[in-house]
Amino acid sequence: MLIEIKDLRKKYIMGEMEVEALRGVNLNISTNEFVSIMGPSGSGKSTLMNILGCLDTPSSGQYLFDSIDISSRTDDELSEIRNQKIGFIFQTFNLLPKLDALQNVELPLIYSGVEKHLRKDLAKKALKRLGLENRMNHKPNELSGGQRQRVAIARALVTNPGIILADEPTGNLDTKTGFEIMEIFKELHQEGNTIILITHEPEIAEQADRGIIIRDGLITKDALNTTIISPNKTILTQV
Amino acid sequence: MQLEENVQAAFNGLREHKFRSFLTMLGIIFGVASVIAMLSIGEGAKREAIKKYQQLGVNNIIIRDMDLSDKELESVRAKFSPGLSLKDAQAIKDIVPQIVDLAPQAEKKADVKYQDKSIKATLIGVTPSYSEILNYTTESGSFVNKDHQNRQLKVCVIGTDIASKFFTVDDPIGQSIKVDDQWLEVIGVLNSKSLFTETVGELASRDLNSDIYIPLSTFHKRFEKEKLLSSELKQITIKLEGSENISQISNIVENLINRHHFNNKDFSIVIPIELLKQEEKERRIYNILLGSIAAISLLVGGIGIMNIMLATVMERTREIGVRRAIGAKKDDILSQFITESLVLSITGGVIGVILGLTLSITISLSTAITTSVTLYSVLIAFLFSVLVGVTFGYLPARKAARLSPIESIRYE
Ligand SMILES: Nc1ncnc2c1ncn2[C@@H]1O[C@H](COP(=O)(O)OP(=O)(O)O)[C@@H](O)[C@H]1O
Ligand SMILES: [Mg+2]
């Protein structure tokens, strides 16, 4: 089992107010699953995803990632896990604006200490695979939204992490570009990667193998998708 | 492992915010420049002083006959003081320990003429030992020797200024000049001596390059005393083997002469090395003062850097979050921001060094102040700027490193 979560809770304390964003989540995800997470705004999707990605820690409960108990890891160890085992993709891309595409993709490799030449080679390869070979030296503000998200995906993939966590990756993209990004995720899934993706759009969620719905910090539905719709078909029905 | 990237990124940031970076570095720039300029002034003064006192001899004790008015002279002679004399010199030579040699000298103001030119100069009667004891060398010809002294010859050695005033075309050696009513043959021209710009003890400031040196015996035989009651000698310079016991020996000398002069106190003793030490002590206080001022400006520079680094960390919270999310450790963030503040302070330091050198050269070219930049002062200033960078960059960098990854990446 790649991800094992038991009775996970997360409380935010803001002054007098106490918000319980996760109220006892149980979840198992195995390697090479393609999971979508849906739910209304504020239901705790991002909170869950950030804990899954070792960016945040739960208030209580257990999280085993790759059989490692995350709560007993040091900050440095968590950094290493994020660096080497997890690829995170955000709605707002989170590229560094002053670095060009290639430099952005190189970043994770810098932190894992990969030697310069190898690093550049790996980063170029990742960008090429996402069809950005002609955009390597463009800064984020010289790229379209779809291209930026591709750079972000290249950055997530470059260390070959095995699991991709994407928090509303198509949220800032138009429908067509969104589906193009989804095609990439599907391809990555076919190659053996585990994909967990948060989305608002049912058409996107339907493309995953397994659909989870969260409401008020609890999983209310967790089922395998029976109808697999090709993205092209969806676009056609929409147009 | 990522030093290169950090430095690269820091320089990119610096280029991107040229004006802001410049303002930030200003404190460091002025701090370093003032450290270098001030130290160079101090060092220049030190070298000047050493040169000055070396000329007087660091192992020497100088006894000067006091400048007295006619009335005062009458009074001391009435109280049995013969004034400074060759007898004193002989007694010192016989009694004082650790003495290498001594040089008696007589002095008077004289009118000097050559062809149609005439000037006033100081005529100095010396023994051959004089040149060795006081480090006099000739640029042409030779100094007064034993033969000149024994035979009371009418020869003279002149300072460079006199030589250049009188002998614009002729070779001065072998020419005769008229001093008061005596004709003297020029046998040597002295190398240039730096002039005393200030009075050292009883030694009045004067231009040593306008003096005329003749054998002491000739002086006594051929020239009238400046005043009727003037002493036989104006000065005795004693050279010792070393300077360790110089003040005790000077006490012995003082007692001896006091006895000869019946406690008339008509002479004074100058010990160049003690004056040098005294001056060094004064200069140390001055250096500490200047150093503190410079240190304060470096401190202010450091605070400027800290201020801007704190602002930078705030501004780039999101960047920090992103870096942490993709695997940067706390130490990676820490070193990134310390590198940035180091790049700021070192760049400021380098500009400061250049400004300091320029300042120091400008001062020495445009004023009478001598400056001397030492490698050591440049290193000190530079090290200080590095220190400031690390010290004042640490707090903001630590703040950056301690930001929670998730809080920072959500930061708007
Ligand atoms: N850092 C935080 N501090 C306080 N409250 C937070 C914080 N992050 C999330 N929350 C709250 O927790 C709840 C879940 O948020 P989130 O996980 O972002 O929801 P979603 O991603 O499903 O829209 C919301 O009520 C949100 O306001
Ligand atoms: Mg969210």
Side-chain angles (χ1 to χ4, degrees):
Chain A
M1 204 53 70
L2 182 62
I3 286 171
E4 285 180 82
I5 278 177
K6 276 200 198 89
D7 196 27
L8 198 77
R9 287 165 194 274
K10 180 71 181 179
K11 263 186 218 158
Y12 292 110
I13 298 156
M14 300 199 305
E16 300 281 286
M17 281 268 289
E18 211 175 79
V19 181
E20 200 163 22
L22 296 177
R23 300 187 295 144
V25 171
N26 294 294
L27 179 61
N28 290 336
I29 296 172
S30 26
T31 307
N32 201 21
E33 276 197 77
F34 189 172
V35 183
S36 74
I37 300 177
M38 297 236 298
S41 187
S43 56
K45 305 182 297 291
S46 293
T47 304
L48 176 62
M49 191 68 115
N50 293 334
I51 293 173
L52 290 179
C54 299
L55 271 173
D56 205 354
T57 47
S59 309
S60 70
Q62 195 187 42
Y63 173 24
L64 300 183
F65 176 80
D66 214 2
S67 311
I68 304 166
D69 186 354
I70 290 304
S71 64
S72 64
R73 299 289 130 179
T74 64
D75 194 84
D76 279 1
E77 284 168 336
L78 292 181
S79 295
E80 256 167 50
I81 292 173
R82 289 199 294 271
N83 184 245
Q84 286 166 22
K85 299 197 168 170
I86 295 168
F88 221 112
I89 290 159
F90 305 88
Q91 181 178 0
T92 52
F93 322 127
N94 276 330
L95 299 174
L96 297 192
K98 286 167 200 164
L99 305 185
D100 64 23
L102 184 64
Q103 289 169 322
N104 264 291
V105 177
E106 276 182 69
L107 271 183
L109 299 174
I110 289 178
Y111 292 121
S112 53
V114 175
E115 173 276 330
K116 196 169 169 180
H117 289 287
L118 179 59
R119 192 172 83 209
K120 289 213 182 293
D121 280 354
L122 288 170
K124 279 179 192 164
K125 222 176 267 170
L127 281 167
K128 216 173 264 173
R129 123 147 242 216
L130 285 145
L132 291 165
E133 55 267 57
N134 297 323
R135 295 287 182 277
M136 295 205 198
N137 299 313
H138 286 57
K139 297 268 171 71
N141 64 6
E142 298 160 347
L143 297 170
S144 71
Q147 288 169 333
R148 286 186 212 183
Q149 197 58 295
R150 282 163 195 265
V151 174
I153 295 171
R155 182 177 69 185
L157 287 178
V158 76
T159 52
N160 210 2
I163 177 164
I164 301 285
L165 305 178
D167 190 347
E168 302 195 40
T170 60
N172 275 17
L173 304 175
D174 61 69
T175 317
K176 185 168 176 286
T177 316
F179 277 106
E180 280 166 21
I181 297 292
M182 281 311 291
E183 279 306 303
I184 297 166
F185 284 134
K186 280 181 175 169
E187 226 182 282
L188 292 173
H189 172 234
Q190 258 142 41
E191 283 167 22
N193 288 293
T194 310
I195 315 270
I196 305 174
L197 125 98
I198 295 176
T199 180
H200 268 312
E201 302 155 75
E203 297 88 348
I204 297 279
E206 280 165 7
Q207 298 179 41
D209 296 340
R210 179 177 163 191
I212 291 174
I213 292 179
I214 293 187
R215 269 176 214 282
D216 286 333
L218 282 171
I219 292 180
T220 55
K221 188 184 165 212
D222 184 349
L224 294 181
N225 283 339
T226 43
T227 51
I228 312 268
I229 309 164
S230 104
N232 298 333
K233 218 159 100 191
T234 320
I235 291 175
L236 285 177
T237 51
Q238 280 199 338
V239 169
Chain B
M1 87 186 171
Q2 27 146 347
L3 182 70
E4 193 189 329
E5 284 75 26
N6 281 345
V7 172
Q8 191 66 48
F11 271 113
N12 287 344
L14 202 143
R15 262 197 295 278
E16 200 172 329
H17 305 284
K18 278 193 197 80
F19 189 58
R20 189 170 99 173
S21 306
F22 174 71
L23 288 181
T24 308
M25 291 185 296
L26 220 51
I28 296 284
I29 293 174
F30 284 133
V32 167
S34 60
V35 167
I36 290 182
M38 284 170 180
L39 287 177
S40 81
I41 291 173
E43 183 66 22
K46 182 176 165 186
R47 296 209 171 165
E48 283 289 287
I50 288 174
K51 214 160 87 188
K52 178 170 76 187
Y53 291 109
Q54 254 165 5
Q55 217 170 90
L56 294 172
V58 286
N59 294 341
N60 289 358
I61 297 173
I62 297 169
I63 308 155
R64 287 287 284 182
D65 191 59
M66 249 176 217
D67 289 322
L68 300 175
S69 66
D70 290 333
K71 240 182 124 177
E72 289 166 324
L73 268 174
E74 261 176 54
S75 141
V76 297
R77 293 289 178 268
K79 288 189 246 161
F80 311 111
S81 172
L84 207 60
S85 69
L86 283 165
K87 250 199 226 155
D88 292 331
Q90 192 56 51
I92 291 167
K93 211 169 184 173
D94 293 343
I95 293 166
V96 175
Q98 290 175 29
I99 190 165
V100 175
D101 202 354
L102 56 71
Q105 83 190 57
E107 284 172 23
K108 70 173 294 192
K109 293 265 173 288
D111 295 311
V112 190
K113 289 196 190 81
Y114 175 72
Q115 294 175 346
D116 54 345
K117 294 170 213 159
S118 106
I119 52 168
K120 280 217 172 282
T122 308
L123 183 68
I124 303 179
V126 297
T127 56
S129 57
Y130 190 86
S131 69
E132 200 251 319
I133 289 177
L134 282 135
N135 299 318
Y136 276 56
T137 50
T138 50
E139 69 176 39
S140 62
S142 58
F143 202 71
V144 173
N145 64 26
K146 273 203 180 102
D147 185 46
H148 304 136
Q149 166 74 5
N150 291 343
R151 292 162 58 200
Q152 307 171 342
L153 294 183
K154 298 208 290 181
V155 293
C156 68
V157 178
I158 59 177
T160 48
D161 284 359
I162 296 191
S164 58
K165 253 174 229 152
F166 282 177
F167 306 101
T168 43
V169 277
D170 307 335
D171 180 10
I173 309 294
Q175 305 289 336
S176 288
I177 59 173
K178 194 173 182 191
V179 179
D180 286 349
D181 56 353
Q182 299 288 326
W183 285 97
L184 302 174
E185 187 196 335
V186 178
I187 55 163
V189 178
L190 289 171
N191 271 319
S192 173
K193 285 256 163 192
S194 62
L195 44 144
F196 279 179
T197 48
E198 53 196 299
T199 304
V200 179
E202 278 296 303
L203 307 172
S205 67
R206 74 168 205 267
D207 185 352
L208 295 169
N209 297 318
S210 297
D211 289 345
I212 297 174
Y213 297 85
I214 62 170
L216 186 60
S217 55
T218 315
F219 186 98
H220 285 139
K221 181 169 179 203
R222 305 281 177 184
F223 291 90
E224 281 182 12
K225 289 181 176 174
E226 200 157 68
K227 291 168 184 159
L228 194 63
L229 295 174
S230 282
S231 311
E232 188 178 16
L233 296 178
K234 185 65 196 173
Q235 176 175 324
I236 299 171
T237 310
I238 305 167
K239 182 174 184 169
L240 301 179
E241 286 158 7
S243 60
E244 302 81 49
N245 306 317
I246 204 156
S247 48
Q248 291 97 297
I249 294 174
S250 136
N251 283 338
I252 297 173
V253 171
E254 190 172 357
N255 290 337
L256 177 71
I257 300 179
N258 258 332
R259 228 175 314 121
H260 283 204
H261 293 202
F262 296 91
N263 290 323
N264 269 291
K265 307 257 185 265
D266 56 352
F267 66 96
S268 62
I269 293 187
V270 177
I271 308 171
I273 195 159
E274 305 247 297
L275 294 174
L276 177 62
K277 280 181 188 154
Q278 180 66 29
E279 225 173 83
E280 264 172 6
K281 206 188 259 169
E282 280 160 20
R283 209 171 27 244
R284 205 169 303 140
I285 294 165
Y286 164 86
N287 278 345
I288 288 169
L289 204 78
L290 289 185
S292 324
I293 294 170
I296 287 169
S297 67
L298 274 175
L299 194 77
V300 171
I303 292 169
I305 285 190
M306 180 154 80
N307 196 22
I308 215 73
M309 288 306 297
L310 282 171
T312 303
V313 169
M314 276 285 281
E315 253 175 41
R316 286 160 55 189
T317 304
R318 183 112 187 200
E319 174 193 326
I320 295 163
V322 172
R323 287 179 184 269
R324 294 284 273 132
I326 60 174
K329 296 177 180 157
K330 282 181 175 172
D331 282 352
D332 294 327
I333 302 295
L334 188 81
S335 62
Q336 180 191 343
F337 281 91
I338 287 191
T339 308
E340 218 164 282
S341 110
L342 267 177
V343 162
L344 270 177
S345 66
I346 290 178
T347 307
V350 169
I351 298 175
V353 166
I354 294 168
L355 185 66
L357 292 177
T358 315
L359 220 63
S360 150
I361 292 168
T362 311
I363 289 171
S364 80
L365 288 181
S366 61
T367 67
I369 300 168
T370 317
T371 62
S372 168
V373 177
T374 56
L375 181 63
Y376 147 89
S377 72
V378 172
L379 284 180
I380 287 241
F382 191 71
L383 276 179
F384 251 105
S385 60
V386 173
L387 199 72
V388 163
V390 177
T391 315
F392 289 93
Y394 181 74
L395 201 78
R398 196 184 62 169
K399 194 178 159 180
R402 285 186 176 180
L403 288 173
S404 120
I406 186 65
E407 299 289 331
S408 347
I409 209 164
R410 290 164 55 106
Y411 185 85
E412 295 302 328

